[in-house]
């Protein structure tokens, strides 16, 4: 860019920036963006061949004069200049305008004279020889591009709706899959808990049965001998009492004056017979022991002789 233009403060007057006749080949977009209050820009009579895409970000512009330049095309997003009301493109090299031109809803004045426009566009633009014709040019050209843009807009809207429908279906499917996943996890958790409870119940029932069986066996083992022990004890007690009774009777009949009584006579006789039998048995036992001793001695002697 021309260094003289870099400092726009010298070119600003109120809300207007005069950059005409500056021999510019490019539009100083970055510098113009620093002055949003400068809504009117005069870029006429320069050597500008194209506008950069960033030019469409200067949405504060209301009036732009690009007449007598070398423009061959305009940026595709020119329709972003929503506040643009006045556009002078006189004496350039334009043949067509961008489709987004239909979005310039605020455009009220347009001059396209002395441009090699396509016949259909040239017819819509008209002569633009006065204020009225330039206003009609703005109206007819924007309307023409709205008509041209309608199928594109419908197609764009259809694609947008289709994309939204796909995204909605994808979200719905993801949501259903997530719900199904949570349901399966819940059922699995519930089944695991039920299995644990069933296992616990079986274990408790098994323990209970084992406990009952052990208790039954214990009862049988412990309680069965009790009548037997009780009976033996009872018999032992009866026998002891009987022996004590007999001993008492024998003692009474042997040691007291009752021994002369008729009742004690047979008892004393029986006692005497028993004592006699015991003495006889004592002799027999002594003889038996002597015989066993002799036999053992002979056996030992014969064993000793056989070894020698």
């Amino acid at each position: 860019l021309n260094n003289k233009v870099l400092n726009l403060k010298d070119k600003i007057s109120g809300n207007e920036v005069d950059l005409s006749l500056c021999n510019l080949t490019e539009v100083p977009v970055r510098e113009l963006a620093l002055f949003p209050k400068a809504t009117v820009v005069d870029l006429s009579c320069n050597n500008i061949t194209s506008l950069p895409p960033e030019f469409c970000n200067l949405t504060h512009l209301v009036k732009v004069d690009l007449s007598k330049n070398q423009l061959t095309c305009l940026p595709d997003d020119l329709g972003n200049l929503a506040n643009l009301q006045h556009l002078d493109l006189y004496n350039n090299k334009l043949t067509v305008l961008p489709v987004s031109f239909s979005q310039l809803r605020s455009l009220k004045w347009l001059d396209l004279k002395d441009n090699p426009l396509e016949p259909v566009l040239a017819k819509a633009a008209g002569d633009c020889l006065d204020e009225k014709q330039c206003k009609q040019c703005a109206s007819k050209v924007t309307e023409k591009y709205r008509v041209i843009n309608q199928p594109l807009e419908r197609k764009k809207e259809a694609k947008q709706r289709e994309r939204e429908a796909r995204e909605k279906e994808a979200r719905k499917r993801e949501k259903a899959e997530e719900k199904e996943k949570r349901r399966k996890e819940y059922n699995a958790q519930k089944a695991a808990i039920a299995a644990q409870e069933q296992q616990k119940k079986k274990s408790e029932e098994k323990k209970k049965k084992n406990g009952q069986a052990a208790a039954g066996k214990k009862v049988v083992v412990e309680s069965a001998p009790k009548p037997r022990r009780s009976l033996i004890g009872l018999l032992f007690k009866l026998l002891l009492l009987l022996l004590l009774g007999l001993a008492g009777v024998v003692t009474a009949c042997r040691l007291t004056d009752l021994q002369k009584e008729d009742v004690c006579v047979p008892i004393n006789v029986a006692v005497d017979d028993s004592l006699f039998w015991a003495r006889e048995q004592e002799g027999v036992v002594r003889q038996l022991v002597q015989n066993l001793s002799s036999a053992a001695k002979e056996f030992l002697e014969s064993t000793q002789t056989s070894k020698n």
Side-chain angles (χ1 to χ4, degrees):
L1 295 177
N2 192 324
N3 290 332
K4 295 180 180 179
V5 179
L6 292 178
N7 189 0
L8 293 184
K9 290 183 179 180
D10 298 335
K11 301 292 183 178
I12 296 177
S13 177
N15 67 333
E16 298 182 8
V17 181
D18 187 2
L19 297 175
S20 62
L21 300 170
C22 291
N23 198 26
L24 297 176
T25 57
E26 296 179 2
V27 179
V29 176
R30 185 177 300 176
E31 289 76 7
L32 290 173
L34 298 176
F35 300 94
K37 292 183 179 180
T39 58
V40 178
V41 179
D42 187 355
L43 292 163
S44 62
C45 302
N46 284 292
N47 295 312
I48 302 171
T49 57
S50 64
L51 300 178
E54 294 78 12
F55 182 82
C56 302
N57 296 330
L58 303 176
T59 55
H60 62 281
L61 297 180
V62 175
K63 181 178 180 180
V64 177
D65 188 351
L66 287 164
S67 62
K68 297 181 181 181
N69 276 281
Q70 304 296 318
L71 291 172
T72 58
C73 64
L74 297 176
D76 292 337
D77 294 330
L78 189 71
N80 291 345
L81 301 177
N83 294 311
L84 189 62
Q85 299 179 14
H86 186 113
L87 179 59
D88 194 342
L89 295 170
Y90 167 71
N91 194 11
N92 278 278
K93 296 181 179 181
L94 298 171
T95 57
V96 294
L97 299 175
V99 177
S100 65
F101 208 87
S102 62
Q103 299 174 16
L104 298 175
R105 306 277 182 186
S106 301
L107 191 65
K108 296 179 173 60
W109 195 99
L110 177 63
D111 189 353
L112 290 171
K113 289 192 309 294
D114 290 343
N115 278 282
L117 301 174
E118 291 182 348
V120 176
L121 179 57
K123 183 178 179 181
D127 295 330
C128 194
L129 298 174
D130 54 28
E131 187 76 12
K132 182 178 179 181
Q133 288 181 349
C134 289
K135 288 183 178 181
Q136 290 176 350
C137 176
S139 176
K140 290 180 179 181
V141 170
T142 53
E143 182 61 29
K144 168 185 168 49
Y145 275 93
R146 286 194 191 100
V147 174
I148 294 174
N149 203 31
Q150 279 179 357
L152 297 175
E153 287 293 332
R154 284 197 293 269
K155 189 175 181 181
K156 185 177 179 181
E157 289 175 0
K159 287 184 177 180
Q160 178 68 17
R161 287 194 297 270
E162 185 179 352
R163 184 169 63 253
E164 290 176 354
R166 286 198 302 268
E167 292 175 354
K168 184 178 180 180
E169 185 65 25
R171 289 194 299 269
K172 186 177 179 181
R173 185 167 57 254
E174 289 176 359
K175 192 173 181 180
E177 290 175 355
E178 182 65 23
K179 186 176 181 180
E180 180 66 15
K181 182 180 178 182
R182 291 197 304 269
R183 187 183 67 80
K184 288 182 178 179
E185 290 176 352
Y186 172 76
N187 289 339
Q189 186 178 8
K190 193 173 180 181
I193 293 173
Q196 290 178 356
E197 291 293 332
Q198 187 68 18
Q199 186 66 25
K200 185 178 179 181
K201 187 176 180 181
K202 288 182 179 179
S203 178
E204 290 177 353
E205 289 178 354
K206 187 176 180 180
K207 288 180 180 179
K208 187 176 180 181
K209 288 180 180 178
N210 292 338
Q212 290 177 349
K217 289 181 180 179
K218 188 175 181 181
V219 168
V220 171
V221 171
E222 291 181 355
S223 55
K226 284 184 179 179
R228 189 174 174 183
R229 288 199 299 269
S230 299
L231 180 60
I232 292 173
L234 181 60
L235 292 175
F236 180 75
K237 290 179 180 179
L238 291 175
L239 181 59
L240 181 60
L241 290 174
L242 181 60
L243 291 174
L244 291 173
L246 288 174
V249 171
V250 170
T251 302
C253 290
R254 296 287 290 183
L255 301 177
T256 65
D257 295 337
L258 293 175
Q259 58 184 337
K260 297 178 180 180
E261 295 293 333
D262 294 337
V263 176
C264 290
V265 170
I267 294 174
N268 291 328
V269 173
V271 171
D272 292 337
D273 292 340
S274 296
L275 293 173
F276 178 76
W277 177 85
R279 283 193 293 270
E280 288 182 348
Q281 295 301 321
E282 182 181 358
V284 173
V285 171
R286 187 180 293 111
Q287 185 64 38
L288 180 61
V289 171
Q290 289 177 356
N291 292 336
L292 287 174
S293 298
S294 299
K297 184 177 181 181
E298 292 176 358
F299 176 76
L300 289 174
E301 289 176 354
S302 62
T303 304
Q304 188 70 24
T305 303
S306 63
K307 284 183 178 182
N308 295 329

